[in-house]
Amino acid sequence: MSTYTEVLLAKRPEPGQIKAEVFDVVQKEIPSAGPGQILIKQTHMSMDPAMIGWMNPDPESYIPPVAIGEVMRSSGLAEVVESNHPDFAVGDKVRGMTGWAEYILTDGQGLSKVQPGLDPETLLSVFALPGLTATQGLYGFGEPKAGQTIVVSGAAGSVGSIVGQLAKADGLNVIGVAGSDEKCDWIKNELGFDAAINYKTDDIAAKLAEYAPKGIDIYFENTGGPVQDYVYEKMNAHGLIIVCGMIADYGKEIPSPGPNWIPVIKKRLRIQGFAMPDHFGDVPKLLEKLTPYVMQGKIKYRSHVLEGLESAVDGINLFFTGGNKGKLIIKL
């Protein structure tokens, strides 16, 4: 009997870093494809901060939580190893919501074939959730213009790094906020950001005054935390705040209080929260927007690859510590 590994959500996590006991690693017999089904073998799994939210039983979330006893949710790349489906052949490379599993039996719904010639790390780091999220967030809710100033938190992360590069390519003054000197050096000297702020060691207010003397027009929020208050105070009239993530609060029992709303009135600010599942129908349009930047060499990335499915159990905590350098990927 041949078996494979799945990782199930065994219990809801407590506030703080996620303990291994939250998951249940199980072995199952590899199934066979039935009529209209395909069996896929996952090769690369995407790790995303959104997973932390999916584990919590929030009835108001934009997507139902992962049920207890269910395979932990994730997206990934896979290869068809058995097919009884007219649209998929053995050897096809596919992507979609795969879950924390080495093999997945499916009817193919939600899966799409991968264009040949793109390596897995490029696909997951640029053309999957990070690139789509960055493109939707930056262009879907505003019209960034040359000469404007944008601040990106989590700027060395998979989404933030692409947001900053897109904005820079469009002629904006780009200020990135990250959590180490190494990350600040990378976004400034490798990705071309105009300035970088280490929120752990720099005087954030002083750095913003230096790098954004005329104020801030767009704030792309990926992390929350103290930087949020400093940027908020520097926003220009009619500025735009795009709220993509709040990793600083994901592990807290009680979220941090937000800034006072009086400046929203005085400065007529727009604040836009979003989640990508609302925009999956726009993926072709988003890729059409993103691809030319990539083809012109204006988008660089780096990936942080862990080996083996079970490495995801501890690897998810890298989002809390900032220990990942680039897009976090599990290679199966």
Side-chain angles (χ1 to χ4, degrees), residues 24 68 82 127 153 167 173 194 199 211 274 278 301 307 317:
D24 189 12
I68 300 300
E82 186 180 349
F127 290 108
S153 64
N173 174 41
D194 294 285
Y199 72 87
Y211 300 144
F274 80 105
D278 290 343
Y301 74 92
E307 297 282 344
N317 286 307

Side-chain angles (χ1 to χ4, degrees), residues 17-298:
Q17 292 198 18
I18 298 170
K19 298 179 180 179
E21 65 192 37
V22 166
F23 302 105
D24 189 12
V25 180
V26 300
Q27 298 292 315
K28 291 188 175 180
E29 184 176 356
I30 298 176
S32 296
Q37 293 183 321
I38 58 174
L39 179 66
I40 60 176
K41 184 179 187 299
Q42 188 164 212
T43 59
H44 295 80
M45 190 172 82
S46 176
M47 298 288 285
D48 299 286
M51 291 176 172
I52 299 166
W54 298 342
M55 297 166 67
N56 293 304
D58 182 357
E60 296 183 350
S61 181
Y62 61 90
I63 188 171
V66 178
I68 300 300
E70 188 175 90
V71 175
M72 184 57 200
R73 182 184 296 145
S74 64
S75 62
L77 303 175
E79 180 177 347
V80 178
V81 294
E82 186 180 349
S83 178
N84 291 319
H85 193 296
D87 296 334
F88 298 93
V90 172
D92 282 347
K93 304 293 194 301
V94 297
R95 64 177 172 183
M97 298 304 292
T98 48
W100 292 22
E102 292 176 331
Y103 285 85
I104 302 97
L105 186 64
T106 172
D107 62 4
Q109 185 175 0
L111 295 178
S112 59
K113 294 182 183 180
V114 172
Q115 179 181 349
L118 289 176
D119 68 271
E121 291 183 26
T122 301
L123 281 167
L124 291 181
S125 300
V126 179
F127 290 108
L129 198 57
L132 296 174
T133 303
T135 306
Q136 173 60 37
L138 185 60
Y139 299 110
F141 306 118
E143 298 178 356
K145 298 177 178 63
Q148 289 182 324
T149 292
I150 181 173
V151 174
V152 183
S153 64
S158 57
V159 173
S161 61
I162 295 178
V163 170
Q165 291 178 89
L166 290 171
K168 184 61 185 174
D170 286 347
L172 278 74
N173 174 41
V174 181
I175 303 168
V177 181
S180 72
D181 288 341
E182 187 277 334
K183 290 181 177 179
C184 286
D185 178 75
W186 182 62
I187 63 175
K188 188 173 186 298
N189 296 317
E190 293 292 326
L191 303 189
F193 283 43
D194 294 285
I197 298 172
N198 184 337
Y199 72 87
K200 294 181 179 179
T201 59
D202 286 336
D203 182 329
I204 299 173
K207 291 295 184 180
L208 288 174
E210 177 184 352
Y211 300 144
K214 297 181 180 180
I216 298 163
D217 300 294
I218 303 172
Y219 179 38
F220 200 104
E221 172 67 285
N222 287 304
T223 63
V227 67
Q228 181 184 78
D229 295 328
Y230 293 106
V231 175
Y232 184 70
E233 291 299 322
K234 287 281 290 180
M235 293 297 298
N236 286 329
H238 304 288
L240 171 64
I241 300 174
I242 303 166
V243 186
C244 179
M246 294 287 287
I247 190 66
D249 279 345
Y250 287 168
K252 294 181 179 179
E253 187 171 5
I254 301 176
S256 303
N260 187 281
W261 282 14
I262 289 177
V264 174
I265 301 170
K266 290 167 56 178
K267 298 182 180 182
R268 291 84 75 202
L269 300 177
R270 288 185 297 143
I271 302 173
Q272 175 69 57
F274 80 105
M276 270 309 296
D278 290 343
H279 306 283
F280 282 159
D282 297 325
V283 166
K285 181 176 66 176
L286 295 173
L287 288 173
E288 184 179 345
K289 176 71 174 178
L290 173 63
T291 300
Y293 290 92
V294 179
M295 299 303 293
Q296 294 165 21
K298 295 179 179 178

